[in-house]
């Protein structure tokens, strides 16, 4: 290559105390140890009174912490956020025309399912490449709208609560899995909201949550156009299966995971609730923003600051030598960087999502300490310098 040689910086001496930056499952809350699970309701039926009570406590604490409006229903469902989204799509989608936003891996999956699996007759897919949002002015809010509030694999989020109109004829179905407990959600403008415990709360996997507005409940009670497997059924012959929203789960939950979720929720309450959670995430993003602003080799994948995520912080390498590589070579270079960081125990799980453009991804949600972000950033400089120097010599 013709580029000038790059000298890697000296290896940093300070490492993050908790070098865990995975975007799911995410790092546990500060101070967490297995002792937090000592009181778990184990070896008993989840349908026993105390089991139901603990499941109901997760529901009530979550609703309160998020500021969920009066009259909404919140339940614990199988299969993480994916299960929560799918059960709603299968139960509701197709009763009227649907617009779906597709701009990264998971939002693309919802679009693919609606188009290729459910094969909706009246479907519009509004697409954008990684780093951008579709043109939201093209959304027809008289139709049902499926949107992902924060693209976990692209670091692109809906820019403001005003992006969704206060009045709309269709239902707004919002996948909020890496936005809940970290960003403002306009509950009064949404109808279905889903998330999991494994993102902003640092909980364990396999359990999802689905929140339903009164309008969404009414639509569910009108009946699905298609037969549904048991784990997708939120209604029964009487209408909404209200027991699910009091703690009677559709299938057997892990009470160990339930205890962990309760621990996360109590921690969130203890530090000041939702406002404190959002502030911690914003601080983590601000640290990365200041660092990126002083570097000429890295930039945010998000095309605009307004759509920049404070949880799944996705970065791209902009150095000419890197941009000259093909996709396989770029992926190999990122793998070298992340392998160096892992070998030094300076940062784990920092590669971008497998379907995304080759780059870096730092989870910045509230369970991540700002001090660990600060300690990580010089290591990114070091790992980049090592890989860039090797590339220049090639």
């Amino acid at each position: 290559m013709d580029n000038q040689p790059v000298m890697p910086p000296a290896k940093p001496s300070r490492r993050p105390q908790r070098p865990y930056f995975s975007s799911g499952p995410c790092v546990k809350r500060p101070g967490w140890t297995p002792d937090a699970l000592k009181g778990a309701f184990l070896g008993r039926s989840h349908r026993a009174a105390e089991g139901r009570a603990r499941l109901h406590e997760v529901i009530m604490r979550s609703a309160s912490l998020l500021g969920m409006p009066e009259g909404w229903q919140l339940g614990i469902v199988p299969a993480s956020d994916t299960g929560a989204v799918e059960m709603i799509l299968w139960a509701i989608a197709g009763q009227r025309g649907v617009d779906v936003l597709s701009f990264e891996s998971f939002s693309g999956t919802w679009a693919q399912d609606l188009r290729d699996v459910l094969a909706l007759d009246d479907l519009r897919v509004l697409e954008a490449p990684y780093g951008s949002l579709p043109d939201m002015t093209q959304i027809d809010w008289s139709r049902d709208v499926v949107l992902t509030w924060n693209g976990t694999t692209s670091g692109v989020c809906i820019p403001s609560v005003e992006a969704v109109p206060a009045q709309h004829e269709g239902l707004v179905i919002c996948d909020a899995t890496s936005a809940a407990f970290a960003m403002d959600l306009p509950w009064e403008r949404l109808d279905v909201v889903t998330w999991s415990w494994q993102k902003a709360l640092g909980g364990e996997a396999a359990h999802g949550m689905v929140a339903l507005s009164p309008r969404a409940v009414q639509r569910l009670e009108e009946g699905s156009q298609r037969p549904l497997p048991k784990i997708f059924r939120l209604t029964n012959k009487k209408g909404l299966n209200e027991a699910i929203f009091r703690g009677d789960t559709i299938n057997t939950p892990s009470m160990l995971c339930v205890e962990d979720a309760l621990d996360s929720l109590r921690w969130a309450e203890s530090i000041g609730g939702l406002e404190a959670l959002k502030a911690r995430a914003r601080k983590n993003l601000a640290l990365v923003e200041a660092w990126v602003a002083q570097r000429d080799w890295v930039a945010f994948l998000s095309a605009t600051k307004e759509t920049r995520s404070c949880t799944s912080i996705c970065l791209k390498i902009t150095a000419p030598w890197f941009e000259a590589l093909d996709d396989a070579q770029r992926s190999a270079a990122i793998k070298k960087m992340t392998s160096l960081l892992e070998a030094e125990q300076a940062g784990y799980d920092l590669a971008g999502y497998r379907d995304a453009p080759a780059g870096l991804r730092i989870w910045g949600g509230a369970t991540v300490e700002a001090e660990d972000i600060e300690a990580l950033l010089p290591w990114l400089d070091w790992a980049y310098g090592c890989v860039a120097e090797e590339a220049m010599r090639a």
Side-chain angles (χ1 to χ4, degrees):
M1 296 183 180
D2 296 330
N3 307 70
Q4 293 296 315
V6 173
M7 294 298 294
K11 185 182 293 186
S13 58
R14 176 189 171 200
R15 289 173 172 79
Q17 290 294 310
R18 298 193 305 160
Y20 309 115
F21 301 102
S22 165
S23 290
C26 302
V27 67
K28 312 299 286 183
R29 54 94 174 161
W32 185 93
T33 71
D35 288 345
L37 308 177
K38 278 187 174 179
F41 188 69
L42 304 180
R44 294 283 310 279
S45 170
H46 62 291
R47 302 200 187 281
E50 187 174 345
R52 281 193 175 100
R54 296 196 189 196
L55 288 157
H56 187 246
E57 185 179 352
V58 171
I59 292 170
M60 297 305 293
R61 287 183 183 272
S62 298
S64 176
L65 190 61
L66 290 170
M68 202 173 77
E70 189 75 22
W72 279 58
Q73 301 275 4
L74 177 60
I76 300 168
V77 298
S80 193
D81 178 67
T82 301
V85 175
E86 293 284 10
M87 71 192 316
I88 292 299
L89 296 185
W90 280 75
I92 288 178
Q95 294 174 328
R96 66 193 302 154
V98 177
D99 283 4
V100 56
L101 275 60
S102 173
F103 58 97
E104 48 85 53
S105 182
F106 290 100
S107 59
T109 296
W110 312 145
Q112 182 181 24
D113 284 356
L114 291 167
R115 181 184 60 234
D116 301 335
V117 181
L118 293 175
L120 300 189
D121 293 329
D122 189 4
L123 173 70
R124 299 198 312 159
V125 179
L126 307 179
E127 296 184 89
Y130 274 87
S132 300
L133 276 178
D135 181 0
M136 295 189 67
T137 66
Q138 299 302 308
I139 297 174
D140 182 350
W141 298 98
S142 69
R143 300 156 63 84
D144 289 341
V145 176
V146 178
L147 58 84
T148 299
W149 197 266
N150 180 77
T152 311
T153 67
S154 69
V156 171
C157 63
I158 303 295
S160 71
V161 296
E162 288 78 18
V164 178
Q167 302 296 324
H168 47 270
E169 295 177 37
L171 298 181
V172 180
I173 299 167
C174 175
D175 171 2
T177 193
S178 57
F181 304 102
M183 303 177 185
D184 287 315
L185 293 171
W187 291 94
E188 69 285 355
R189 297 168 186 245
L190 304 173
D191 295 289
V192 179
V193 182
T194 68
W195 66 90
S196 71
W197 302 340
Q198 69 196 55
K199 299 294 187 184
L201 290 179
E204 294 305 304
H207 299 77
M209 300 201 78
V210 59
L212 305 172
S213 73
R215 294 178 71 232
V217 171
Q218 180 181 355
R219 179 76 73 80
L220 281 169
E221 290 181 333
E222 290 172 357
S224 173
Q225 294 179 324
R226 56 189 65 89
L228 299 176
K230 178 182 177 180
I231 61 169
F232 279 8
R233 294 178 203 153
L234 293 172
T235 57
N236 54 31
K237 292 180 180 179
K238 298 179 180 179
L240 187 73
N241 186 349
E242 295 187 359
I244 293 172
F245 303 91
R246 296 194 299 266
D248 268 2
T249 54
I250 297 172
N251 69 337
T252 305
S254 164
M255 297 307 292
L256 200 63
C257 292
V258 168
E259 198 65 26
D260 190 60
L262 286 171
D263 174 74
S264 299
L265 290 163
R266 292 176 186 131
W267 167 77
E269 294 163 356
S270 74
I271 65 169
L274 183 59
E275 291 306 312
L277 295 175
K278 293 189 298 184
R280 286 172 64 90
R282 287 195 298 265
K283 182 177 180 179
N284 288 337
L285 173 61
L287 290 169
V288 180
E289 288 178 325
W291 174 78
V292 168
Q294 298 174 9
R295 304 294 182 279
D296 61 2
W297 62 269
V298 66
F300 287 92
L301 184 57
S302 173
T304 65
K305 181 178 175 66
E306 291 73 25
T307 62
R308 193 177 293 166
S309 172
C310 63
T311 55
S312 52
I313 304 171
C314 295
L315 305 172
K316 60 183 179 180
I317 296 179
T318 56
W321 70 266
F322 186 85
E323 293 185 328
L325 303 177
D326 62 29
D327 289 345
Q329 291 169 327
R330 291 181 185 183
S331 296
I334 294 296
K335 186 174 181 179
K336 287 179 183 178
M337 283 187 65
T338 56
S339 295
L340 286 169
L341 294 165
E342 184 170 341
E344 292 290 341
Q345 299 181 350
Y348 299 119
D349 306 318
L350 286 157
Y353 191 71
R354 61 180 180 268
D355 294 338
L360 301 170
R361 182 171 61 162
I362 306 168
W363 181 257
T367 57
V368 177
E369 297 278 36
E371 292 80 3
D372 287 331
I373 295 282
E374 288 178 317
L376 168 69
L377 297 174
W379 283 98
L380 297 183
D381 286 321
W382 171 78
Y384 168 77
C386 291
V387 174
E389 182 187 35
E390 180 181 334
M392 298 307 177
R393 291 199 308 263

